[in-house]
């Protein structure tokens, strides 16, 4: 199957999931997770009408983004080390992985240096996995006011990466928890937080049924990832 055929198939499945949930498909953005994938495949996806992409390594993104069509927008979906905040604030339209006030403050400073505003989502570790990045729900509720106050950062919502499972139904309660937490944050702030970034190749339909507005789909669009070395995925 070509990238274009894969995208078409996923769009159909997004539409069907929206129908089941009584949602408008226009409320769900499909992100092509292009990490490790070559420019040629991103170009194929752009030609097929996809214009939102996700990368999770600053080094890789620095090389790839300038070579991609201008219509392609990029979101950062990896863990950001504070020493990479400058590049993240320069290269991306939105960052999905903000998991501490300290990192948000650093991004705010770097965005200010670039004289721009940066959109972001807070990552939440809803399952409480010790190996994962992300705010715990409790500490997010503590910090949410301070996070929303940073002048150069625009808080748009929450994102989560559920634990790996071969049974996507197990992600459903975690997606629900993210929605509840988003509602609690909205109440605390008194402003809407519209975006919920949740759902990947294996579980995006369930995520949409639960309210996802951005689904991050990699392998189902581009096929297996092309790692140059096995350590590459853990080193941002
Ligand atoms: C790699 C990655 C994805 C895409 O995963 P697939 O299972 O290939 O769709 C989505 N979200 C994040 C944060 C990722 O790192």
């Amino acid at each position: 199957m070509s990238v274009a055929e894969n995208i078409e198939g996923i769009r159909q499945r997004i539409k069907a999931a929206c129908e089941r949930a009584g949602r408008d498909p226009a409320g769900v953005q499909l992100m092509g997770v292009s990490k490790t994938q070559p420019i040629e495949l991103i170009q194929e996806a752009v030609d097929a009408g996809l214009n939102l992409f996700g990368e999770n390594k600053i080094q890789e993104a620095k090389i790839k983004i300038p070579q991609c069509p201008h219509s392609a927008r990029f979101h950062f979906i990896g863990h950001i080390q504070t020493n990479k905040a400058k590049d993240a604030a320069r290269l991306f339209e939105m960052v999905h992985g903000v998991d501490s006030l300290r990192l948000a403050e650093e991004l705010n400073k770097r965005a200010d240096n670039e004289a721009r505003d940066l959109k972001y989502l807070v990552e939440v570790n809803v399952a409480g996995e010790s190996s994962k990045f992300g705010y715990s729900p409790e500490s997010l509720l503590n910090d949410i006011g301070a996070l929303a106050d940073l002048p150069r950062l625009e808080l748009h919502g929450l994102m989560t990466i559920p634990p790996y499972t071969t049974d996507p139904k197990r992600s459903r309660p975690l997606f629900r928890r993210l929605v509840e937490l988003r509602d609690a944050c909205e109440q605390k702030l008194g402003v809407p937080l519209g975006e919920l970034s949740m759902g990947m190749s294996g579980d995006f339909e369930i995520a949409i049924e639960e309210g996802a507005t951005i689904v991050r789909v990699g392998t189902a669009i581009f096929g297996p990832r092309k790692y140059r070395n096995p350590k590459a995925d853990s080193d941002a």
Side-chain angles (χ1 to χ4, degrees):
M1 293 267 274
S2 68
V3 165
E5 286 166 326
N6 290 342
I7 290 171
E8 179 51 29
I10 288 162
R11 289 211 187 280
Q12 301 284 351
R13 289 166 63 191
I14 289 175
K15 209 166 144 235
C18 284
E19 265 160 34
R20 287 196 294 280
R23 298 185 55 196
D24 178 355
V28 180
Q29 290 192 74
L30 173 60
M31 169 197 290
V33 176
S34 51
K35 63 192 190 194
T36 81
Q37 304 292 354
I39 311 290
E40 295 73 54
L41 290 191
I42 299 177
Q43 181 69 56
E44 277 185 49
V46 169
D47 293 342
L50 195 67
N51 52 27
L52 177 62
F53 298 91
E55 289 283 339
N56 75 337
K57 298 282 179 298
I58 296 287
Q59 278 312 110
E60 182 181 341
K62 255 169 127 165
I63 298 166
K64 279 161 79 175
I65 292 176
Q67 299 180 58
C68 285
H70 284 304
S71 59
R73 296 143 48 215
F74 283 85
H75 288 187
F76 191 72
I77 58 170
H79 178 67
I80 306 174
Q81 292 161 330
T82 16
N83 64 354
K84 301 273 173 67
K86 181 173 189 276
D87 289 314
R90 184 171 59 84
L91 290 165
F92 293 94
E93 173 188 78
M94 181 185 272
V95 298
H96 289 219
V98 174
D99 60 0
S100 72
L101 187 54
R102 183 168 161 261
L103 172 60
E105 285 167 348
E106 184 67 21
L107 285 167
N108 181 67
K109 187 170 101 190
R110 298 303 184 171
D112 194 48
N113 290 345
E114 300 283 328
R116 63 167 293 203
D117 298 319
L118 180 64
K119 299 176 186 176
Y120 79 109
L121 306 178
V122 170
E123 179 172 357
V124 187
N125 181 358
V126 270
E129 284 177 287
S130 55
S131 60
K132 280 272 176 68
F133 295 110
Y135 261 102
S136 71
E138 303 74 49
S139 44
L140 174 58
L141 285 168
N142 276 328
D143 279 5
I144 192 73
L147 286 165
D149 270 350
L150 295 166
R152 283 297 194 176
L153 292 201
E154 293 175 9
L155 177 59
H156 280 255
L158 307 182
M159 80 86 86
T160 196
I161 310 171
Y164 176 77
T165 170
T166 51
D167 178 8
K169 286 196 297 297
R170 297 179 65 171
S171 300
R172 191 186 294 279
L174 301 169
F175 294 148
R176 279 199 186 150
R177 228 177 285 167
L178 194 73
V179 175
E180 285 167 12
L181 187 61
R182 189 273 309 268
D183 294 348
C185 289
E186 282 185 340
Q187 266 217 312
K188 226 173 153 170
L189 294 173
V191 295
L193 295 176
E195 304 289 357
L196 288 168
S197 167
M198 56 189 200
M200 321 200 321
S201 291
D203 57 12
F204 68 88
E205 289 150 301
I206 291 172
I208 289 169
E209 288 169 17
E210 297 303 327
T213 63
I214 303 177
V215 292
R216 311 177 308 262
V217 179
T219 44
I221 292 178
F222 296 111
R225 282 185 264 285
K226 283 93 180 160
Y227 291 113
R228 292 217 189 85
N229 72 65
K231 269 184 63 204
D233 207 27
S234 61
D235 149 40

